[in-house]
Amino acid sequence: MIQALSSIQTAGQVTGPASTTLDGFSNIAGPAAMRPNIAVENSFAAALATASENAVNTLHKAEGLSLNALQGESDTREVVDAVMNAEQTLQAAIAIRDKIVSSYLEVSRMAI
């Protein structure tokens, strides 16, 4: 490895055994060449509605697993994971709400 690094003459130029090793990587598509697997949202309101639906579904799932655990039908580890996930989701939703409210207040204070 040190020999390969010492063969670098200038930035971007590699000679010696390292250049043959790096030649095989030139045709690999990087993350920028790949299209993301994300659906396009039409508006901020649609994205916010989708995020809130996902948060509510996460909370409902944790609640359902908790009720199943009380009846002895669910594993304790699954319930703990679901409740912790729901807690993180709720904290994120509260943080987003706080940012939206503070942004609204800041915009309402702007001079017209």
Side-chain angles (χ1 to χ4, degrees), residues 39-61:
V40 177
E41 296 290 339
N42 293 331
S43 66
F44 177 72
L48 196 58
T50 302
S52 63
E53 282 180 27
N54 290 340
V56 168
N57 289 338
T58 302
L59 295 173
H60 281 297
K61 179 183 173 187

Side-chain angles (χ1 to χ4, degrees), residues 1-9 18:
M1 181 71 175
I2 295 174
Q3 292 172 346
L5 291 175
S6 65
S7 66
I8 298 174
Q9 292 179 348

Side-chain angles (χ1 to χ4, degrees), residues 71-86:
Q71 297 170 355
E73 298 173 0
S74 291
D75 185 29
T76 306
R77 188 185 62 73
E78 291 176 3
V79 174
V80 170
D81 287 343
V83 169
M84 289 178 67
N85 192 12

